[in-house]
Amino acid sequence: MNPTAGTQPQGGPAAGASAPGRSFAAELTYWRRRRELSKKQLAITMGFDPSYVSHVEASRHAASEDFARKAESALNAGGALWQAWRTTAPARPAATAEHEGEGVIVDDDYAQLHYDGSTYRARQRRRLFNGGAEPVTRYLMRISVDRYPGQPERSNALYRARPLTWDELNLTATCDGEPMTWRSKHDRDAFKEAWLCLENDRGRFPLYPGQHAVLDYAYQVDDGRWGPWFQRAVRLPTRRLSVELVFPAALDPVVWGTETSTTAEAVPLRTPVTRTERRTGDVEETVFSWAIDTPPMGARYRLEWRFRARDDGAVPQPALRTASDRMRSVGIVQHGAPILTRTARPFDLPAEAAEATGVIDQLFTAIQRVREQHVFGKGMGLAAPQIDIDRSAAVIISPDPDAEPLVLLNPRVISESAEVDEQYEGCLSFFDVRGLVPRPLRLEIEHTHLDGRRVIAALDAALARLAGHEIDHLYGRLYTERMRSGVAPIPVEEYRGTGQAWSYR
């Protein structure tokens, strides 16, 4: 670890200021007053109603995990608030230290994208603080490319012909200057995920509770497969986020950006992108910089550009104002399309194994693009009709980052529990609203493997809900048909559970 490991982060409490054992409510009041914020000011910063802050401080309501994380980030409490919540929170399953983000706070997130005229080199540097109760031993990183935004068919064809490979990416990573090993988690044509492991062949260096560490990783992609955009998504509580784009000045670059939250329409960045000129060796470069303090969870900041001195065959980009606009742009069929009302055609397996494999690949590719548009704290799913393929196939992504995706071919529900619960759901095919949907807490699903074997999967809670939603799609049914009479979907702007897991007893 670095020399400051174990000390308070910048702006944190002085020694002894945070009383050990103090309740979360008392700790919240202490830090809010220390930062000289009213309850209303804190609530606005966190995106909560002011009454919620009042109820938490008065111990009338228990703080949710999302509230605790956002309070820790907004008040810069050096981990005191998060640890107080962990100490006093209701019992929950034991933390898995290897799950991404279990108590991790990002003090500083810096990203640079450097283009030399043929290759893009991306570097990400994050200063992390472990505010949890368990050591962190790995960190999940993602690489996603889309050469032709808004044209999914054209991009799909490109990456099928020229898929990204780990060798070409040349991924390197360090922790406080110490080389890290990494392990591939997902390896798709245009999307990669890898666990950066806090270890190497000389030893291990976990990030222990109360410690800081700087993770620095880099990779490269040729300009034939990197599109004219760079996006930063806030998946962990973050105190500062900054981005730097470096281009050859001779290309006469111009840059602009948009901000998208989990509930609001896309808007221009609220602060300007600054432009400076510099000389590196014999090359004149133009540098574009942008930063924000305490970005909200789930926010996405997208920088785009064009080179006025070079025609790259750019095409007009689609308007991406609403959540449904964003889903449409990545190829998701929208409400009203006839394919969403029909029963999907089953596969004849194993005879159609090749066709089924192709559909599964297209579903994973679409999921990658969808996840660039939204944070899915509940997990997610996608059915083939939603990408305009009339076949009985769906993919389920669990909220557990360690779980493998569940692929369903020709699925049907053969048994369901009598016990039902009601939770809010969203649908990518009409993503501007959320609906309160009753579903069984347990499903037994028969589905087919590529080799023709039929198997039964027993799914509970969140996975049962996700699978039930997608299987409904394969039979031409939308979640609105399951809602109780008199209950209508609400606008996504009014929904407060975005990015959070469903709650189960």
Side-chain angles (χ1 to χ4, degrees):
M1 291 303 126
N2 62 23
T4 61
T7 62
Q8 295 291 350
Q10 184 177 3
S18 180
R22 187 153 58 191
S23 71
F24 178 81
E27 200 74 42
L28 178 66
T29 302
Y30 168 81
W31 283 100
R32 178 180 60 77
R33 290 173 176 171
R34 177 164 179 163
R35 299 304 182 212
E36 299 181 347
L37 293 175
S38 68
K39 294 175 185 177
K40 182 176 181 180
Q41 288 171 324
L42 177 59
I44 291 171
T45 300
M46 295 170 58
F48 280 81
D49 187 273
S51 64
Y52 193 105
V53 176
S54 296
H55 286 316
V56 170
E57 288 197 5
S59 298
R60 291 189 293 268
H61 287 345
S64 67
E65 179 175 351
D66 180 58
F67 182 94
R69 289 181 184 275
K70 290 179 178 177
E72 171 64 42
S73 179
L75 294 172
N76 194 9
L81 275 167
W82 177 248
Q83 295 205 42
W85 184 86
R86 288 290 295 263
T87 300
T88 60
R92 53 183 270 175
T96 340
E98 294 185 335
H99 283 191
E100 178 199 14
E102 187 64 45
V104 173
I105 295 165
V106 182
D107 277 339
D108 184 72
D109 184 330
Y110 164 78
Q112 182 193 73
L113 183 68
H114 186 279
Y115 179 54
D116 63 7
S118 62
T119 301
Y120 286 94
R121 292 179 174 83
R123 177 193 177 193
Q124 325 262 336
R125 185 185 67 220
R126 293 186 175 97
R127 185 172 190 264
L128 306 180
F129 172 70
N130 184 356
E134 301 290 339
V136 173
T137 60
R138 59 183 184 172
Y139 187 87
L140 188 65
M141 61 81 64
R142 297 177 173 89
I143 300 171
S144 181
V145 294
D146 186 1
R147 180 65 181 85
Y148 303 110
Q151 302 179 72
E153 296 85 1
R154 189 177 181 189
S155 284
N156 289 347
L158 169 65
Y159 297 114
R160 280 196 298 269
R162 296 186 60 210
L164 289 181
T165 68
W166 284 113
D167 286 344
E168 292 173 307
L169 289 167
N170 191 29
L171 174 64
T172 60
T174 64
C175 176
D176 290 336
E178 187 77 27
M180 303 171 69
T181 58
W182 57 269
R183 184 171 69 256
S184 175
K185 182 175 186 287
H186 285 128
D187 187 0
R188 313 299 302 182
D189 291 348
F191 175 73
K192 311 290 185 191
E193 281 187 333
W195 287 111
L196 305 181
C197 303
L198 278 73
E199 61 182 65
N200 57 32
D201 57 3
R202 295 187 295 276
R204 300 183 177 184
F205 32 92
L207 178 61
Y208 287 100
Q211 289 188 335
H212 296 80
V214 175
L215 267 59
D216 199 329
Y217 61 92
Y219 57 90
Q220 63 185 30
V221 179
D222 64 88
D223 60 6
R225 287 176 290 181
W226 186 287
W229 60 277
F230 191 49
Q231 180 169 284
R232 310 297 299 131
V234 182
R235 294 186 172 92
L236 297 172
T238 300
R239 293 184 176 134
R240 181 172 176 78
L241 182 150
S242 58
V243 184
E244 188 175 80
L245 305 179
V246 184
F247 299 127
L251 293 177
D252 193 12
V254 59
V255 171
W256 62 97
T258 55
E259 170 185 343
T260 305
S261 74
T262 52
T263 59
E265 294 186 358
V267 296
L269 294 175
R270 300 176 192 276
T271 55
V273 178
T274 62
R275 173 176 178 148
T276 57
E277 308 294 331
R278 75 182 187 191
R279 186 177 185 85
T280 303
D282 295 331
V283 179
E284 297 287 344
E285 294 179 325
T286 302
V287 181
F288 297 89
S289 303
W290 182 81
I292 184 173
D293 291 324
T294 321
M297 287 282 286
R300 279 172 160 72
Y301 303 97
R302 184 180 179 98
L303 296 177
E304 299 179 69
W305 59 86
R306 65 183 177 89
F307 301 129
R308 289 179 288 201
R310 188 173 77 184
D311 180 8
D312 285 330
V315 297
Q317 298 302 307
L320 303 178
R321 293 185 177 86
T322 68
S324 289
D325 287 341
R326 295 192 289 275
M327 294 304 131
R328 184 182 295 108
S329 76
V330 295
I332 302 300
V333 172
Q334 293 300 292
H335 185 271
I339 195 170
L340 296 180
T341 64
R342 299 197 298 261
T343 297
R345 186 161 58 94
F347 291 98
D348 177 13
L349 295 171
E352 292 187 304
E355 291 88 337
T357 299
V359 172
I360 293 167
D361 285 344
Q362 290 182 68
L363 284 167
F364 275 111
T365 298
I367 285 171
Q368 162 228 322
R369 295 206 174 93
V370 166
R371 292 175 77 182
E372 286 299 309
Q373 304 295 327
H374 189 79
V375 173
F376 292 91
K378 300 172 178 62
M380 68 166 294
L382 188 63
Q386 292 182 280
I387 56 172
D388 205 27
I389 298 175
D390 185 22
R391 300 308 301 263
S392 185
V395 172
I396 310 297
I397 305 296
S398 168
D400 178 355
D402 281 334
E404 288 298 316
L406 175 62
V407 175
L408 299 175
L409 299 174
N410 303 342
R412 66 185 184 96
V413 176
I414 60 173
S415 176
E416 60 184 48
S417 66
E419 189 177 6
V420 172
D421 81 330
E422 246 183 348
Q423 305 267 11
Y424 276 101
E425 294 183 13
C427 180
L428 302 178
S429 293
F430 49 108
F431 211 43
D432 293 333
V433 297
R434 298 293 185 270
L436 195 57
V437 184
R439 288 194 187 274
L441 282 169
R442 180 181 175 85
L443 294 178
E444 289 187 2
I445 297 167
E446 184 184 63
H447 62 107
T448 312
H449 285 180
L450 290 170
D451 61 7
R453 287 181 298 118
R454 297 198 66 80
V455 296
I456 295 174
L459 305 176
D460 297 297
L463 282 179
R465 180 168 290 275
L466 289 166
H469 181 115
E470 300 311 324
I471 292 173
D472 278 352
H473 273 303
L474 300 179
Y475 289 88
R477 192 176 189 184
L478 302 178
Y479 76 67
T480 47
E481 299 174 44
R482 289 187 175 271
M483 296 175 66
R484 288 182 288 110
S485 176
V487 177
I490 62 172
V492 67
E493 294 84 2
E494 297 178 12
Y495 178 57
R496 294 292 177 262
T498 298
Q500 303 173 35
W502 285 306
S503 176
Y504 292 94
R505 295 189 297 274

